[in-house]
């Protein structure tokens, strides 16, 4: 539907907005989120939910993409994260609109190019092998530590996060990403600890530089001047919350799906060159990041739904990825789907900086896991989402 925006008309009016749908994209609500998308896309492609202070949700592929490209109307301030990751500081670059965004993207992009990420492949494979060695060789293994530790170790080493603290990282991520929707104070307390941690780490890397991203960011002579301590801190916080749990969720859900689809698992085991296309399909259909928020700068109309300046709008990437106007049989997982123009990494000015890394980590994680365990099945029911226990029974 065409998006029409006008001049700001001040703060929005309080009251019930129509159409309404009690949409949520966190916690247990994720159990049934795909059913919700089907209803919303059919009955109310733009709808209002009262949760988290109230927000509109956009569910069609065309509208999500249009909003992603229209940052004059759909601002990322005060934050793309709803509810917040326990902080009122801007996450850099996530919460910065163009044109200021350009400087940060120019600084960060060189660290995440496909060529640069290819250099991490041998180490990624080595770490995967070590983690698989450590998995208890019982009939039933919990694959969740494998899914969590692989990105933590690969990305942590690359960025310069001390791996001795990996256990603490998991606890902070749990508090910030997962506990925040039940109790915001847990996320705030963890966020304070993470900022303190990175303050110390940045000071250490300033005095004793290493061969990691944090040291390189501190040393480089960037266009527009060096990054100051506050900017460094906000970048580190974002990399920390964006780079670990997302990819862990992607690895875990791929294993979760394959554990229930022996025919697909057999295909990938017989021909690992099929894995990258399967990874794209898991990202499309079962993405760990289902939605991100924006705030309207202008009164805006989509179809016959009138939204007001100042209101939050959630771009439901997960719904866009299941839009029947774009994807044939969108509710089926087809591991050879092609083309697959999903928006699991976003599509506009803020398109995920870590997508090259995430794709390689998921591909290698699957290749190595399947090489070690060519046949496995789910040993206990487990939700598709999150990074929790995934009990897998390995088969002879
Ligand atoms: C499967 C794993 C991942 C998924 C599904 C994912 C998804 C996303 C999404 C949806 C966005 C916002 C896009 C938008 O609003 O337009 C984003 C932004 C971002 N992601 Fe990822 N991400 C993943 C992994 C990573 C990793 C490993 C990193 C590590 C570097 C990372 C770093 C970032 C950064 C820095 C941004 C902000 C970019 C900006 O604001 O300009 N992500 N990601």
């Amino acid at each position: 539907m065409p998006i029409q925006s006008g001049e700001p008309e001040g703060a929005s009016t309080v009251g019930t907005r129509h159409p309404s749908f009690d949409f949520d994209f966190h916690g247990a609500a994720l159990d049934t989120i795909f059913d919700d998308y089907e209803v919303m896309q059919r009955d109310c492609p733009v709808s209002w939910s009262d949760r988290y202070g109230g927000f509109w949700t956009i569910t069609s592929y065309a509208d999500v993409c249009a909003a992603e490209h229209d940052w004059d109307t759909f601002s990322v301030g005060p934050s793309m994260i709803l509810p917040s990751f326990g902080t009122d500081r801007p996450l850099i670059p996530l919460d910065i609109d163009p044109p200021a965004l350009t400087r940060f993207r120019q600084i960060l992009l060189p660290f995440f190019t496909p060529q640069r990420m290819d250099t991490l492949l041998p180490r990624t494979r080595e770490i995967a092998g070590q983690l698989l060695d450590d998995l208890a060789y019982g009939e039933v293994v919990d694959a969740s530590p494998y899914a969590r530790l692989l990105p933590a170790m690969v990305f942590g080493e690359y960025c310069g996060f001390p791996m001795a603290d990996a256990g603490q990282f998991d606890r902070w991520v749990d508090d910030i990403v997962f506990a925040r929707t039940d109790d915001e104070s847990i996320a705030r307390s963890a966020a304070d600890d993470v900022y303190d941690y990175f303050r110390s780490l940045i000071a250490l890397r300033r005095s004793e530089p290493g061969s990691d991203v944090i040291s390189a960011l501190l040393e480089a002579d960037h266009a527009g001047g060096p990054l100051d301590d506050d900017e460094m801190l906000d970048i580190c916080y974002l990399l920390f919350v964006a780079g670990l749990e997302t990819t862990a969720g992607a690895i875990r859900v791929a294993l979760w799906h394959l554990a229930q689809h022996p025919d697909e698992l057999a295909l990938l085991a017989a021909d690992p060159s099929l894995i990258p296309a399967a990874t794209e399909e898991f990202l499309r259909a079962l993405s760990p990041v289902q939605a991100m928020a924006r705030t309207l700068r202008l009164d805006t109309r989509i179809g016959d739904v009138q939204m007001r300046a100042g209101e939050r709008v959630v771009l439901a990437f997960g719904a866009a990825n299941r839009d029947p106007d774009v994807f044939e049989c969108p509710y089926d997982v087809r591991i050879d789907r092609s083309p697959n123009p999903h928006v699991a990494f976003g599509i506009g000015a803020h398109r995920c900086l870590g997508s090259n890394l995430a794709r390689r980590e998921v591909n290698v994680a699957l290749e190595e896991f399947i090489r070690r365990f060519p046949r496995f099945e789910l040993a206990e029911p487990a939700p598709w989402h999150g990074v929790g226990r995934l009990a897998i029974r390995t088969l002879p």
Side-chain angles (χ1 to χ4, degrees):
M1 278 181 278
I3 296 180
Q4 297 169 327
S5 44
E7 290 303 308
E9 286 178 5
S12 63
T13 49
V14 179
T16 309
R17 278 80 161 180
H18 292 287
S20 70
F21 187 97
D22 184 27
F23 178 61
D24 190 4
F25 53 109
H26 296 299
L30 289 162
D31 290 347
T32 52
I33 198 165
F34 304 130
D35 300 335
D36 290 345
Y37 290 153
E38 211 169 358
V39 175
M40 291 161 86
Q41 282 179 335
R42 189 191 59 221
D43 297 344
C44 48
V46 180
S47 63
W48 177 262
S49 168
D50 282 329
R51 292 174 187 270
Y52 313 123
F55 61 89
W56 295 102
T57 307
I58 298 182
T59 56
S60 89
Y61 188 91
D63 289 343
V64 166
C65 293
E68 277 266 302
H69 287 112
D70 182 2
W71 48 83
D72 287 335
T73 306
F74 294 85
S75 166
V76 292
S79 181
M80 215 195 260
I81 307 293
L82 184 69
S84 90
F85 272 163
T87 176
D88 300 321
R89 299 174 65 112
L91 309 183
I92 296 179
L94 207 66
D95 295 339
I96 311 290
D97 280 312
L101 171 71
T102 309
R103 170 173 171 250
F104 295 116
R105 297 272 307 189
Q106 278 170 353
I107 290 172
L108 289 168
L109 265 169
F111 293 100
F112 296 102
T113 59
Q115 297 75 10
R116 196 85 179 249
M117 296 302 97
D118 278 346
T119 66
L120 301 181
L121 283 171
R123 180 68 182 134
T124 308
R125 213 170 284 288
E126 190 182 358
I127 290 172
Q130 285 165 6
L131 292 172
L132 288 168
D133 289 343
D134 291 347
L135 269 189
Y137 264 78
E139 196 194 335
V140 174
V141 295
D142 178 5
S144 162
Y146 175 71
R148 289 196 86 164
L149 275 169
L150 181 71
M153 291 174 73
V154 174
F155 186 56
E157 269 186 24
Y158 184 57
C159 279
F161 303 165
M163 272 306 98
D165 302 324
Q168 177 63 68
F169 295 162
D170 278 353
R171 288 191 289 279
W172 280 331
V173 167
D174 287 344
D175 287 352
I176 292 168
V177 178
F178 297 108
R180 72 190 153 122
T181 48
D182 294 329
D183 185 349
E184 201 201 332
S185 68
I186 297 177
R188 291 216 167 252
S189 161
D192 289 346
D193 292 346
V194 173
Y195 278 112
D196 285 346
Y197 180 87
F198 280 117
R199 251 179 224 109
S200 306
L201 190 63
I202 290 167
L204 181 70
R205 296 282 182 258
R206 268 200 202 285
S207 57
E208 296 170 26
S211 55
D212 50 73
V213 173
I214 297 182
S215 302
L217 284 172
L218 287 168
E219 282 179 342
D221 189 13
H222 308 294
L227 291 164
D228 65 30
D229 276 357
D230 273 347
E231 290 169 335
M232 272 305 296
L233 202 51
D234 294 331
I235 287 173
C236 285
Y237 189 79
L238 190 261
L239 290 178
F240 178 76
V241 289
L244 306 183
E245 155 274 338
T246 47
T247 316
I251 295 170
R252 181 192 170 281
V253 77
L255 295 174
W256 174 89
H257 176 87
L258 291 172
Q260 298 170 83
H261 293 85
D263 295 351
E264 293 173 15
L265 178 57
L267 278 173
L268 301 187
D271 184 357
S273 74
L274 303 176
I275 288 177
T279 294
E280 295 306 313
E281 179 65 347
F282 299 141
L283 284 167
R284 179 194 72 83
L286 301 161
S287 177
V289 180
Q290 286 293 310
M292 290 285 203
R294 300 290 191 268
T295 301
L296 287 173
R297 273 204 253 248
L298 304 168
D299 283 3
T300 302
R301 172 177 282 274
I302 302 184
D304 55 5
V305 176
Q306 179 65 52
M307 306 180 282
R308 300 285 174 206
E311 288 175 334
R312 304 298 287 274
V313 179
V314 161
L315 311 184
F317 301 124
N321 283 337
R322 288 170 177 252
D323 186 334
D325 287 345
V326 178
F327 300 97
E328 194 182 292
C329 300
Y331 286 77
D332 294 350
V333 174
R334 296 180 172 175
I335 58 169
D336 59 349
R337 187 182 289 275
S338 175
N340 194 345
H342 67 73
V343 289
F345 294 116
I347 197 172
H350 288 273
R351 196 183 172 285
C352 178
L353 269 172
S355 62
N356 297 315
L357 173 61
R359 286 187 158 116
R360 281 160 182 72
E361 288 178 331
V362 179
N363 287 338
V364 172
L366 293 182
E367 280 166 31
E368 295 303 312
F369 195 94
I370 294 170
R371 197 206 315 267
R372 197 71 68 98
F373 303 115
R375 294 181 64 231
F376 56 85
E377 64 184 16
L378 213 53
E380 293 165 12
W384 72 267
H385 52 89
V387 291
R389 176 175 167 83
L390 183 67
I392 278 181
R393 179 175 300 105
T394 60
L395 302 170

